[in-house]
């Protein structure tokens, strides 16, 4: 009997696995440009870490966590996001005392949320993110927003929508919370049960409600921007002005509150609509936080972070053909003709791999037709064919699978011939050679 995959999870293989690798590689390279270092934290953490950081009023903590008691009766949770774990690590490893500030980390890995599965929404999904902790300057926030913007451009996105809002400082939020309570008090009886709960724990969350009638009411609610203290307002204005100066387009959305409780000041989301109109929700999101580190036992240091959803990036990039370079590519397909040639093909493949060629070899007795089909499936450039005659003559047939030209070659000349062929290919692709000009004998077209 087949065993089903767990609802909301998915296997990632072939094109999708290569796509994920490519996306992660680009994101890591951009994080590196901005001087972030990798951190790997455990997938399991004490439940309390998330209740204290992500927050009791968030949907994540209220309904979406994978929480269980381990054999020692400890309450353990599969991480729903990685920021909390990074903060815990900074505190436990005393990084705030031993490193220069800000502490700049990037991470990549799986997260778990018991959400209703739908397009772009899984119960196990992967996030790539960065956290910069320890500097209060709004330029620190800008650095992370710009990293996010650059990352999307390096991934090939031509237009993304950056949506921002400010949640202000503590005082701004307390004033705003009061204003929201006054406004919603008259309507709360007709609102959904979630909103009734939100009204008591954190009325800001009501602004995020997806129930149409509640959403309608939220549209007319007081706006956060009218409750920002002068310093919070000035901070937000400096950020919007700098985004203007750098030509980064953005939209201010008064109803943006984000699903996690720890944010203050700037919060942001990157959205993208594919050419055919597909929208999987935010592809990346983040914000500034003031008391997250102290909430998990560290000093009062503020920080800022962003997280991208790898599945969502992949979905929209695939749709809009931004993953062309991630096709499978093989340099050489080694083809044995007849049972006896298999051992020779096997050892030839090992020699070629030791010389850094990407090689696939057929280790079964297959017809010519089947062998060429397989070479096509792995997108091979060259085929090396070995049969009884070639073994007897210490030769191999080398066939260019694009031009279909083929020649017999003594085995002794194989590596030097391949080196020549592949170097020429490289030059064709890159349009230049690596030689210094004075010693270069290549013919450049100007
Ligand atoms: P969040 O931690 O909620 O701010 O989410 C950050 C990013 O993770 C989002 O912008 C999405 O791209 C991605 N994401 C969040 N939840 C899911 C999910 N259930 N399935 C897939 N991706 C998700």
């Amino acid at each position: 009997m087949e065993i089903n995959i767990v609802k909301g999870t998915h296997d990632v293989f072939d094109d999708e696995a290569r796509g994920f690798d490519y996306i992660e590689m680009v994101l890591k390279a951009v994080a590196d440009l901005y001087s972030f270092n990798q951190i790997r934290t455990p997938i399991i953490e004490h439940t309390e870490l998330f209740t204290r950081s992500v927050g009791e009023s968030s949907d994540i903590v209220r309904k979406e966590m994978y929480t269980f008691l381990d054999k020692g009766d400890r309450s353990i949770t599969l991480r729903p996001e990685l920021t909390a774990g990074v903060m815990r690590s900074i505190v436990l490893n005393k990084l705030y005392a031993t490193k220069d500030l800000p502490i700049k980390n990037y991470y990549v890995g799986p997260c778990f949320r018991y959400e209703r599965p739908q397009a772009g929404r899984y119960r196990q999904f992967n996030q790539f993110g960065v956290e910069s902790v320890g500097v209060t300057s709004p330029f620190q926030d800008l650095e992370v927003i710009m990293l996010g913007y650059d990352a999307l451009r390096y991934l090939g996105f031509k237009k993304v929508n950056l949506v921002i809002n400010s949640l202000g400082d503590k005082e701004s939020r307390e004033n705003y919370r009061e204003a929201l309570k006054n406004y919603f008090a008259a309507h709360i009886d007709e609102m959904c049960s979630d909103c009734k709960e939100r009204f008591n724990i954190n009325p800001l969350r009501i602004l995020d409600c997806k129930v149409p009638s509640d959403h309608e009411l939220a549209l007319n609610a007081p706006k956060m921007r009218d409750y920002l203290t002068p310093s919070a307002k000035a901070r937000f204005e400096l950020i919007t002005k700098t985004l203007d100066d750098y030509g980064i387009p953005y939209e201010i959305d008064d109803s943006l509150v984000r699903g996690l409780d720890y944010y203050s000041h700037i919060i942001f989301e990157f959205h993208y609509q594919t050419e055919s109109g597909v929208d999987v929700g935010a592809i990346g999101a983040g914000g500034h936080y003031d008391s997250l580190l102290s909430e998990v036992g560290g000093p009062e240091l503020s920080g800022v972070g962003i997280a991208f959803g790898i599945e969502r990036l992949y979905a929209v990039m695939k749709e809009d053909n931004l993953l062309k370079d991630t096709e499978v590519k093989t340099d050489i397909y080694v083809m044995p003709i007849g049972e006896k040639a298999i051992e020779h093909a096997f050892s030839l493949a090992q020699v070629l791999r030791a010389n850094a060629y990407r090689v696939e070899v057929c280790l079964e007795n297959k017809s010519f037709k089947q062998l060429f089909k397989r070479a096509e499936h792995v997108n091979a450039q060259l085929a090396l064919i070995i049969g009884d005659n070639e073994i007897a003559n210490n030769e191999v047939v080398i066939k260019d699978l694009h031009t279909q030209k083929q020649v017999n070659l003594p085995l002794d000349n194989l590596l030097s011939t391949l080196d020549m062929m592949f170097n020429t290919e490289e030059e064709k692709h890159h349009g230049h050679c690596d030689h210094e000009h004075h010693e270069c004998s290549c013919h450049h077209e100007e």
Side-chain angles (χ1 to χ4, degrees):
M1 194 186 70
E2 283 180 356
I3 298 178
N4 264 338
I5 194 162
V6 174
K7 194 172 171 192
T9 68
H10 61 137
D11 297 317
V12 180
F13 51 89
D14 287 351
D15 288 353
E16 191 172 8
R18 272 193 302 278
F20 277 31
D21 257 358
Y22 168 73
I23 292 169
E24 289 173 12
M25 183 193 74
V26 173
L27 293 173
K28 279 182 188 173
V30 176
D32 194 43
L33 278 182
Y34 279 80
S35 249
F36 282 79
N37 296 305
Q38 184 168 184
I39 184 164
R40 298 181 189 222
T41 59
I43 286 172
I44 49 175
E45 297 274 3
H46 290 293
T47 303
E48 189 190 0
L49 174 67
F50 303 111
T51 48
R52 275 186 16 202
S53 57
V54 175
E56 309 261 18
S57 83
S58 67
D59 280 357
I60 295 179
V61 169
R62 284 174 54 239
K63 331 187 236 195
E64 295 171 1
M65 292 205 303
Y66 278 90
T67 296
F68 59 95
L69 287 181
D70 72 2
K71 291 189 198 307
D73 265 352
R74 300 170 200 93
S75 180
I76 302 290
T77 293
L78 303 185
R79 63 185 181 198
E81 52 104 68
L82 279 82
T83 306
V86 173
M87 297 305 125
R88 185 212 30 76
S89 171
I90 290 175
V91 174
L92 280 189
N93 294 299
K94 296 204 169 28
L95 301 183
Y96 55 84
T98 55
K99 288 191 147 242
D100 289 333
L101 299 181
I103 303 153
K104 294 170 81 170
N105 288 131
Y106 76 79
Y107 58 76
V108 56
C111 308
F112 305 81
R113 295 184 193 172
Y114 195 80
E115 295 196 79
R116 198 165 62 77
Q118 50 187 291
R121 202 169 282 286
Y122 297 95
R123 289 185 173 167
Q124 176 173 339
F125 59 97
N126 292 280
Q127 283 190 346
F128 177 96
V130 308
E131 305 295 338
S132 177
V133 175
V135 170
T136 46
S137 162
F139 284 100
Q140 195 62 60
D141 300 347
L142 279 157
E143 192 179 60
V144 167
I145 297 174
M146 289 191 182
L147 176 152
Y149 188 72
D150 276 353
L152 292 171
R153 284 210 335 229
Y154 278 108
L155 285 171
F157 288 87
K158 296 276 180 299
K159 53 164 176 58
V160 288
N161 307 327
L162 168 61
V163 184
I164 63 172
N165 194 18
S166 172
L167 295 177
D169 49 20
K170 210 164 163 217
E171 188 186 335
S172 317
R173 276 196 305 284
E174 270 160 19
N175 294 339
Y176 184 47
R177 188 185 294 244
E178 273 315 297
L180 284 180
K181 278 199 117 166
N182 289 340
Y183 170 78
F184 283 116
H187 310 283
I188 196 67
D189 289 345
E190 307 108 62
M191 298 179 80
C192 73
S193 56
D194 272 346
C195 280
K196 289 195 175 82
E197 239 180 273
R198 291 171 181 142
F199 182 79
N200 291 320
I201 332 177
N202 183 359
L204 253 82
R205 288 261 148 273
I206 299 180
L207 301 179
D208 220 10
C209 185
K210 304 285 178 289
V211 175
S213 55
D214 295 354
H215 181 66
E216 194 71 20
L217 279 169
L219 288 179
N220 296 316
K223 307 277 179 258
M224 182 78 219
R225 65 168 101 179
D226 297 324
Y227 291 84
L228 294 179
T229 56
S231 69
K233 193 163 180 237
R235 186 181 175 103
F236 188 49
E237 280 170 1
L238 187 136
I239 291 184
T240 53
K241 182 184 172 301
T242 311
L243 291 174
D244 289 335
D245 291 348
Y246 280 80
I248 298 182
Y250 61 89
E251 176 199 323
I252 301 176
D253 179 352
D254 291 302
S255 65
L256 184 67
V257 286
R258 311 268 307 109
L260 304 100
D261 280 357
Y262 48 65
Y263 291 119
S264 56
H265 293 294
I266 183 96
I267 50 173
F268 46 87
E269 288 186 351
F270 285 101
H271 288 255
Y272 178 73
Q273 204 177 48
T274 65
E275 277 154 29
S276 63
V278 176
D279 186 344
V280 288
I283 48 177
H288 175 101
Y289 40 87
D290 280 327
S291 4
L292 187 50
L293 203 70
S294 58
E295 212 53 72
V296 298
E300 281 284 343
L301 289 175
S302 48
V304 54
I306 183 170
F308 287 104
I310 305 289
E311 281 75 3
R312 291 193 190 176
L313 284 174
Y314 176 79
V316 293
M317 288 174 70
K318 182 167 188 244
E319 177 81 18
D320 277 359
N321 262 327
L322 300 178
L323 289 162
K324 284 190 289 271
D325 288 345
T326 60
E327 282 167 5
V328 65
K329 282 189 201 93
T330 303
D331 295 327
I332 301 162
Y333 193 78
V334 185
M335 303 178 172
I337 308 299
E339 199 65 43
K340 210 175 121 202
I342 292 176
E343 197 182 334
H344 290 264
F346 176 81
S347 92
L348 186 54
Q350 287 306 97
V351 171
L352 296 171
R353 288 167 180 152
N355 281 276
Y357 289 104
R358 284 174 294 194
V359 176
E360 177 56 312
V361 52
C362 182
L363 298 174
E364 289 172 299
N365 194 2
K366 293 282 169 193
S367 71
F368 257 116
K369 198 171 160 203
Q370 288 168 319
L371 288 168
F372 280 105
K373 263 268 160 286
R374 288 183 178 206
E376 199 180 308
H377 292 161
V378 295
N379 199 9
Q381 279 195 50
L382 291 182
L384 290 187
I385 307 161
I386 321 172
D388 290 346
N389 286 343
E390 287 74 26
I391 297 171
N393 299 333
N394 217 16
E395 281 186 348
V396 67
V397 176
I398 182 165
K399 176 164 183 161
D400 185 317
L401 293 170
H402 299 306
T403 61
Q404 304 302 320
K405 281 188 199 142
Q406 68 175 62
V407 284
N408 278 53
L409 199 72
L411 266 181
D412 288 346
N413 296 350
L414 179 62
L415 284 175
S416 55
T417 310
L418 288 176
D419 276 356
M420 208 176 63
M421 293 176 80
F422 279 92
N423 278 338
T424 322
E425 271 299 306
E426 284 266 287
E427 277 170 29
K428 261 200 301 200
H429 282 138
H430 299 300
H432 65 81
C433 67
D434 289 327
H435 306 150
E436 293 291 338
H437 277 269
H438 58 270
E439 60 182 30
C440 174
S441 58
C442 305
H443 299 290
H444 296 276
E445 276 187 46
E446 294 301 328

